[in-house]
Every structure is written in C-alpha cells, then in structure tokens.
Amino acid sequence: MGMTMTEKILARASGKDYAKAGDILWIKVDQAMMDDILGPRVQISEQMELLGAKVWDSSKVTIISDHYTPPANARQAEIVKFTREWAMKNGIENYHEFEGPCHQVMVEKGRVAPGDVVVGTDSHTCMYGALGAFSTGIGSTEMVGVLATGEIWLKVPQTIRFQFEGKLSKGVMAKDVILRSIGIIGHHGATYKAIEFTGSTFDSMLMDERLCVTNMAVEAGAKNGIIAYDQITKQYLDSIGVKGGHIFTSDVDAEYCESYNLRAEEIEPLCACPHEVDNVTEIKNVQGRQIHQAYIGSCTGGRYNDLKLAAKLLKGHKVAKGVRLLVSPASREIWDRCAKEGILSDLSEAGAVVLASSCGACLGIHSGAIGAGEVCISSTNRNFIGRMGSKQGEVYLASPLSVAASAITGELTDPRQFL
Amino acid sequence: MIGRVGKALKYGDNINTDIISPPAYMELPIEEAAKYAMYPIDPDFAKRCNPGDIFVTENNCGSGSSRETAPLALRQLGIRTILAKSYARIFYRNCINLGILAIECKDTHEISADDKLQVDYEKGIIQNLTTGKSYVCDKIPPHIIELVSSGGLISYLKKKL
Ligand code: SF4
C-alpha cells in the first residue's frame, strides 16, 4: 500500500521507512514556533522552570510577537516585553516583533522547508503545508514537552483529498476555494485528519494563494493541510533563499479516507456568514447587507497578491461613506513591496487606512475592533461570535476582492461587477 | 470507583475557543481572564461555576484556536470533567495535558443544565441522578487516566523524570 505525503513526512521524522494512518509515532520536530499571546507567558516559562528543563535546540525555535504589536495598553506591552526577554534569556536568536502575523513571518524568513515537521502554539500553523511540510498547532503545555525534548507524539492522520480541476473564474480567489471546501465537509469534517489539496487548479496558483488555502485547513478541524512541492514551490523557496528539505509526494496508490472532485469554474465568490466558518454561501445570496467595516489583512488574506488585486479593483473608486476600509499587510516585507509599487498609496487614495502589520483586528484586540450591531467583511479566517470585538457584531469572511468591492458599495458585494 | 459527581453546565454544538476564552480578555492573568469564560454566550458562567461541576456540550467542543487559555480558564473555575459528543483535536489534547478529563458521550443532548451527573470513566457509564437515565461514554484508557490523575502532563513528566 502506498503512502500519502503526510504519512511519508511523519515516517521520516520518526526514523521509519513506513507509516500508516493510525500509527502513533514519536516525531522529531524540525521547527517550533511560538507567538506572544500563547507563547512563553502561558504555562511555558513557568513549567520549563518547574521541570528544570532547557530548550533542546535554540536554532530550531522561532518566537514572534505579533498579536500584541503594537500594544494597545500596558498589559499588552508587558506581554511583548516578557516574550522578548524570555527569547533572549533562552538564547532564541530567531525572535521577531512588529513584523506581522507569525505564520507569514515564519514562511518569509525561511524557517520552513519542504518535508519539515513544524509545530506552533497557534492553530493556523497548518499553513506551512503549502510548502510541502507537515505543520500543526499545539497547546502550550505540549510545547513545553517539545522545547524540553525536541519530540512530540502524534497519531498519523488519515487524509482527505480535495481535487480541483480547471481554472478559477475571474474574481474568484483561493479564499473561495477553501471556503467551498469547508462548506462541503463542515467545520469538523476533517477533525484529526489531514487535507491534501491537489489538481490542475493548484498548478497555476501562486504561493500567496496556496498559503491562504492551507492556512484555513484547521477551520475544518484538520490536523494539517498540505500541497505537494512543485515548480511554484521551488520558485518561491528559491526567491527567499530556502535550501534543503525533503520532497515528498503521495503515491498513486496512497489511501484517502475521503475524496472530493471539484471543478474550479463552478466556484463563485463566496462568503462565510456569522458565526461559523462553514456557514458558506455565494456572496450574491447575501448581497445588499449593509457593512460598517471592511478588513484586508491577516496571515490568511493580507499577502502581496491580496493587496495588489484589492488596490487594482479599488482604483478610481472611493470607499463608501460610513464604511472604514482597514488594510494590514501581512508582514513588513509585504508592506515594503506594496509601498514601493504604489499599492499602498492606491489603497489610501481610495480611502483605505493602512495599519501596522499585526494580528490586531483579526481577533479584535486592537486596531480595528467592531462594536455592537456593526457588520464587518473580512479576509481573515474566523468569524466566531465576538471574534473581532463585540459579541453583537457580525463578521462575514470573504476574499480580498470581495472585501474591496464591498467597501466601495457599503454592502456585501460580488466583486465581479467591478472587474 | 464510583467516578466523579457534579452538576452539569450545559451548552450545545460548536462551543469554540473564542467563546470559552474570548480574545479580548486573554491579556489578563488567567485568574482574571477566567471570569470571562463563555462570556459571548453566557456572561454569568463564571459566577455559576462550582468546583467539580461538569462542562457538557454537544458536537465539536473546543473548535478553533490552540489557546490553552480555554481549558485553563475552565480548570481555574473548578471544572475537571468535560462531556461532549465530539471534540476539536487541539482542545482535546490540551484538556488532557492540563489534567481535565475530556470524555466523549453521544447522548449529551439528553443532559440538561443543572442535572446531577455521576461519571464512571473507567466503566464508561454516566448516571444522570436527576432524571434517572444512564448513558454510555467512551472508556478512558489507563495511560490517559494516569496522566489526568497526576494533574496533567507536567506533573506526570515530573514524576517520571
Ligand atoms: S492574523 Fe489572525 S489568524 Fe493569523 S495568527 Fe494572527 S490572529 Fe491568528
């Protein structure tokens, strides 16, 4: 019986030639990532001390302060300070702050290579699967075990395969692909499982877009999301100077627990309605719902391509009166590139406010929380009740193009009318 | 072993980590943050919690974030047992690692708020002492019981190291 990519990666990381879904393996971790909100401050620092443990290999640990940067108050500032000092005290040279959401920074800084096993104290760690790696979110206590030993036990997941064939229509983005997938299997359709995305639709999909797809695998409950290494992966990794890693692809006779075959042309611009990510419908079905805030940002929908397309759509238009369009580039690098190419000024001219690269608005902790009765359309990944601020607010998740189009009209809008 | 007896705090499907541990309060120390557990759907939750109470939900309990502040808040409020039809993966592991027994039970829809429950996790039986009904739940494997009764992964590791 053949193996899936996920099985191959986990087999290798546990020193075996073969692994099968259901096996429980002790896995050597290639990279451990912590952020500020769930990093050293939650259990980790305290428990490491209690155990008298040391970080097993500081070169394999990355810490990124992103949720509380820039801090909105003294408490948040203290958390960033604590995180920074803990990193220093433990010899973690790969410490970053004010650089943007952790996942984008991890990828851009070249901390992930194909075939790696990466764990992080944040559920969207599953994003790195777009580079052909195995990556998953873990809790803080579990991170203590990883930091102390460099290992973690994992059950090899079964894999669900989503195969998309054909080309996406104009106005349809990777966000719509992943929302469609989650809409089909539901928000716990992939619990304990891997999701492998494959098919010709991905062959021409930019890395910026692929990362959006794997980022949201956890919104279907998945342990990891993964896309096979190919030319696009290679080009991307070359461009950021990542060498090494191991290339794995799924065998033709690999076993999948479920398979879905979809046509890309059939996907329309979608949105996830409040308050669940699998509450998915075509945006035209909710067209006309008035909005107060439009947000383009986060590790899901704030990359270069997202901002570029949004700026292009917005050019020559103005954000509707009574609506605030907030844009947070998903990293400093993206910020710089967009600044150099005039994308930020195009956005600003249309009426957008460009914010620091940060998690802030994505989880309503600063820079763009919403109030009671307010409706936000957002390119982020979660629309849970209270996620972006007031529990009486509403969040609709959609592609950056849909967010931009809605910002112009002041209501939920299918972006194709502007293209 | 008669198991654990406690009062049910009952909720439905998809009680996600943003509900259990709302992001706006995560910057507070856990003792303070715990007061806002379940705040988006039940602002009085923390006040009603008593040590030994059993947190009961239906499908997909603890979905969303990897934040350990969710089970930590519940533990802070005295909850040591959770029943649900199904769990999100990271939340489940976090509970066990913190010494909270997370048990799967397909019949949680039959449990109402304030029902008195007796959970025999070794036999896999839950008695609803209020209604007189009993339900089958997953039996907890001995190694998980050992982990949980040590008080979680860290205490367990300390004992082993
Ligand atoms: S941008 Fe949002 S989803 Fe991404 S790491 Fe930050 S809070 Fe989490």
Side-chain angles (χ1 to χ4, degrees), chain A residues 66-67 101-103 122 124 298-300 358-359 362-363 381 387:
Chain A
D66 56 349
H67 287 64
C102 52
H103 306 305
D122 188 287
H124 296 106
S298 83
C299 59
T300 319
S358 164
C359 291
C362 175
L363 76 169
N381 51 29
R387 171 76 179 184

Side-chain angles (χ1 to χ4, degrees), chain A residues 189-369:
Chain A
T191 302
Y192 297 111
K193 299 184 177 122
I195 307 180
E196 187 175 314
F197 297 93
T198 171
S200 59
T201 308
F202 290 95
D203 295 346
S204 56
M205 194 185 273
L206 299 171
M207 186 50 74
D208 272 9
E209 288 279 89
R210 290 182 181 186
L211 290 162
C212 168
V213 173
T214 48
N215 177 287
M216 287 187 71
V218 70
E219 302 310 328
K223 184 176 260 179
N224 65 309
I226 196 160
I227 298 173
Y229 179 100
D230 65 3
Q231 256 332 91
I232 288 177
T233 329
K234 182 179 180 319
Q235 271 167 18
Y236 179 76
L237 293 170
D238 286 349
S239 76
I240 56 172
V242 172
K243 295 190 181 65
H246 295 83
I247 296 162
F248 295 107
T249 47
S250 295
D251 294 325
V252 276
D253 59 344
E255 201 178 325
Y256 295 94
C257 60
E258 289 164 47
S259 282
Y260 298 90
N261 296 299
L262 293 123
R263 295 293 315 173
E265 300 82 11
E266 286 163 13
I267 304 175
E268 299 202 18
L270 299 170
C271 71
C273 303
H275 299 287
E276 286 295 338
V277 185
D278 64 352
N279 200 0
V280 175
T281 187
E282 286 160 9
I283 199 161
K284 64 182 189 214
N285 296 334
V286 282
Q287 179 123 1
R289 176 104 174 87
Q290 196 200 337
I291 61 158
H292 306 88
Q293 179 165 306
Y295 183 64
I296 298 175
S298 83
C299 59
T300 319
R303 271 176 276 277
Y304 167 75
N305 184 60
D306 299 326
L307 270 59
K308 186 178 99 175
L309 294 185
K312 204 168 150 209
L313 186 147
L314 282 159
K315 208 160 175 141
H317 295 280
K318 284 272 179 222
V319 170
K321 206 165 184 296
V323 174
R324 50 200 188 260
L325 171 61
L326 307 178
V327 179
S328 167
S331 72
R332 288 268 308 256
E333 283 187 27
I334 294 169
W335 174 295
D336 284 348
R337 184 169 177 196
C338 289
K340 278 193 196 107
E341 295 184 16
I343 292 170
L344 296 187
S345 48
D346 286 347
L347 290 166
S348 174
E349 249 160 56
V353 177
V354 183
L355 304 167
S357 298
S358 164
C359 291
C362 175
L363 76 169
I365 51 176
H366 58 80
S367 322

Side-chain angles (χ1 to χ4, degrees), chain A residues 31-44:
Chain A
Q31 194 62 218
M33 191 283 295
M34 287 179 276
D35 53 18
D36 51 0
I37 192 167
L38 294 165
R41 66 175 283 242
V42 181
Q43 300 277 334
I44 295 171

Side-chain angles (χ1 to χ4, degrees), chain A residues 41 73 76 140-142, chain B residues 26-27 68 72 89 93:
Chain A
R41 66 175 283 242
N73 55 42
Q76 296 187 0
S140 319
T141 301
E142 208 139 45
Chain B
M26 286 173 71
E27 66 196 51
E68 205 156 297
L72 269 173
R89 189 187 67 81
R93 281 181 80 127

